[in-house]
Amino acid sequence: MRPDFNKMELIPAIVQDYQTKEVLMLAYVNEEAYDQMLEMNQTVFYSRSRKKLWHKGEESGHFQDIKGMYLDCDLDTLLIYVKQTGVACHTGAYSCFFNEVQSYDARDIFRELEKTIADRRVHPVEKSYTNYLLNEGVDKICKKVGEEASETIIAAKNNDKEELVGEISDLLFHTFVLMNDRGVSLDDIENRLKERHQVTGNKKEFHTRGDY
């Protein structure tokens, strides 16, 4: 399936971070740029000001590796999921959309938590609880996961939502530390869950007794 370039010579392309789903930029694509993207698996746009093709990152090194690409219902708008190297915006901002008109917290807290824990491993912080756990090793981390799991069960049995929310949050944090320690990423978990759910688009097909 291809964009309908007979309808529009230039079509808009919305670029999103494939992990956080943050919108990074909006650019335009003609048929030649589209074909080059398919061949290179990196974003290529048409610069309306310079009137020529523009391979994103060819000058800055901030390439966008394409992870997925979708057309809208009218075949005249592209949605591109990318792995962003460096930043997307020429100003040095990660995303071009940083001028706030109406506030909205679009952070992916799980991705941020994963990145924070990974950063603590590389750049330790004095008196950091995360660094304490990482330094103690897998036995200590597993003990904490077990304790938090037990406290989560108790909170659920107590029928106290606020307590349960707090305990689940603690359990998730310690699980993320364990994942980092054992080299497991959120991508690993997401991919396994997708396999189990047999996800096709937005439809979930359940085939076997073992599937979620």
Side-chain angles (χ1 to χ4, degrees):
M1 185 174 295
R2 294 176 62 83
D4 187 353
F5 289 108
N6 291 324
K7 185 196 316 184
M8 298 171 59
E9 183 179 347
L10 292 178
I11 66 171
I14 303 163
V15 182
Q16 286 186 259
D17 185 302
Y18 86 106
Q19 290 182 314
T20 67
K21 304 304 183 290
E22 181 178 3
V23 178
L24 301 180
M25 58 182 290
L26 172 69
Y28 289 86
V29 174
N30 64 5
E31 191 165 12
E32 186 180 1
Y34 179 78
D35 288 336
Q36 285 198 21
M37 279 199 290
L38 294 181
E39 181 180 347
M40 301 171 61
N41 209 38
Q42 289 185 331
T43 55
V44 179
F45 306 114
Y46 180 82
S47 171
R48 294 175 298 169
S49 60
R50 292 179 290 176
K51 301 193 182 307
K52 67 175 185 177
L53 294 188
W54 164 40
H55 177 198
K56 174 67 174 173
E58 63 185 346
E59 295 180 1
S60 65
H62 298 165
F63 295 102
Q64 294 175 336
D65 296 315
I66 297 173
K67 294 294 185 178
M69 191 184 306
Y70 295 84
L71 281 164
D72 75 337
C73 54
D74 294 321
L75 305 182
D76 60 10
T77 303
L78 273 173
L79 175 62
I80 308 174
Y81 291 105
V82 303
K83 179 182 179 182
Q84 176 69 55
T85 299
V87 300
C89 185
H90 73 281
T91 65
Y94 186 64
S95 166
C96 293
F97 295 93
F98 56 81
N99 292 304
E100 183 177 303
V101 178
Q102 184 173 335
S103 63
Y104 171 70
D105 189 350
R107 294 177 302 166
D108 183 334
I109 190 60
F110 294 117
R111 293 289 177 187
E112 288 196 13
L113 178 58
E114 181 181 48
K115 289 179 180 178
T116 297
I117 294 170
D119 186 68
R120 288 290 187 273
R121 178 177 290 279
V122 178
H123 306 105
V125 174
E126 187 177 358
K127 297 183 179 179
S128 164
Y129 179 59
T130 300
N131 282 128
Y132 163 74
L133 290 173
L134 292 173
N135 290 337
E136 288 294 308
V138 66
D139 289 342
K140 179 65 174 181
I141 298 170
C142 286
K143 180 181 178 182
K144 291 300 299 182
V145 170
E147 290 175 359
E148 298 301 341
S150 297
E151 291 173 6
T152 297
I153 293 171
I154 293 170
K157 298 291 286 183
N158 287 341
N159 198 28
D160 185 327
K161 181 178 178 179
E162 286 303 311
E163 181 185 1
L164 181 58
V165 168
E167 296 301 343
I168 291 175
S169 299
D170 290 342
L171 176 58
L172 285 173
F173 166 76
H174 288 89
T175 301
F176 270 64
V177 176
L178 179 62
M179 288 165 56
N180 179 275
D181 186 78
R182 297 291 93 183
V184 176
S185 71
L186 264 177
D187 283 347
D188 295 329
I189 302 301
E190 288 179 352
N191 290 335
R192 181 58 57 86
L193 289 173
K194 287 175 183 176
E195 291 173 7
R196 291 182 177 179
H197 280 272
Q198 302 291 312
V199 174
T200 304
N202 291 324
K203 181 180 179 182
K204 296 178 181 178
E205 299 175 358
F206 297 86
H207 296 298
T208 67
R209 189 178 180 87
D211 288 340
Y212 289 138

